[in-house]
Amino acid sequence: MAHSLKPGATPAVVSAGPNQPNLESDAVWEARRDLAACFRMAARHGFEEGICNHFSALVPGCDDLFIVNPYGWAFRELTASKLLICDFHGNVVAGEGQPEATAFYIHARIHKNLPRARVAFHTHMPYATALSMTEGDPLIFAGQTALKFYGRTAVDRDYNGLALDEREGDRIAGAVGEADIVFMKHHGVMVLGPTIAEAWDDLYYLERACEVQALALSTGRQVLPVKPEIAEAAYRQMREGDPESARLHLASIRRQLDAEEPAYRD
């Protein structure tokens, strides 16, 4: 299912200098470790699918380079040093290997076209993906966890096969609008965020909301949405504390991994 990338440009090597970012800074390495922790915990929760899914984050202090997982590695295998830094032309400027083709064409165009999306997590996690395959809007705002996403979702209804060129990446980016969560019909989900912690927090709770909804639907009984005015109020309550809650959530998973899988930091 995964595809190797055949970039049109020759891979470049970026070194620190007056016009180049320092890719060995503490901030860059902390971002690498945060992202590696998210890969490892996503694998624990069953959010990964073989070697096909991908997370990315813009390099701290830099708007035209992004960190992404290399082609051929499962989430549970990834470490901070195994992650790649790429530019928007398909050049790997730090790290060994190359991004998977759809990872590059989706994430490069998302980051280039939507500067607010400093982080982009794409998965085929089972419950969210299952709901993307159903008739109508995937998420019913019936459970409290789902209300975290009230007014923040979009649906890309135009599944067009694999994203193997810039045109498809641009089409996906154009379908996002102002949303943070994109259900990609017949495909999976994309979670966009301003920080790695906030993207992780949304990814985790999105799958939980979708799991509970799938269980509710499996009863065969009608699933009753929360009244819009209550849903809006609850959403605002949740969003007030989201950045700090997300920071603490990521810190928690890093503590767990530090104790049980410390190799993610390497």
Side-chain angles (χ1 to χ4, degrees), residues 26-156:
D26 290 344
V28 172
W29 273 99
E30 275 305 288
R32 283 177 171 271
R33 292 183 181 112
D34 282 345
L35 206 54
C38 292
F39 282 117
R40 291 291 184 107
M41 194 57 72
R44 287 192 180 196
H45 289 303
F47 295 174
E48 66 176 347
E49 185 169 73
I51 59 170
C52 293
N53 294 172
H54 13 90
F55 296 172
S56 66
L58 290 178
V59 171
C62 184
D63 293 332
D64 56 5
L65 296 174
F66 63 100
I67 309 167
V68 68
N69 46 312
Y71 176 50
W73 296 81
F75 282 12
R76 66 191 66 245
E77 299 180 282
L78 292 171
T79 66
S81 61
K82 284 188 172 74
L83 301 180
L84 307 177
I85 295 179
C86 300
D87 67 18
F88 293 156
H89 305 290
N91 298 310
V92 176
V93 300
E96 296 184 6
Q98 61 184 8
E100 194 269 336
T102 62
F104 171 71
Y105 287 116
I106 292 174
H107 290 253
R109 306 314 289 177
I110 288 282
H111 289 307
K112 181 175 177 61
N113 295 343
L114 301 170
R116 68 181 177 83
R118 298 199 64 82
V119 183
F121 286 3
H122 171 59
T123 75
H124 302 164
M125 54 191 188
Y127 290 99
T129 301
L131 295 183
S132 81
M133 298 159 56
T134 60
E135 182 180 8
D137 290 339
L139 198 58
I140 302 170
F141 296 104
Q144 177 169 286
T145 302
L147 300 182
K148 174 177 169 64
F149 308 106
Y150 189 77
R152 299 175 60 207
T153 64
V155 181
D156 176 10

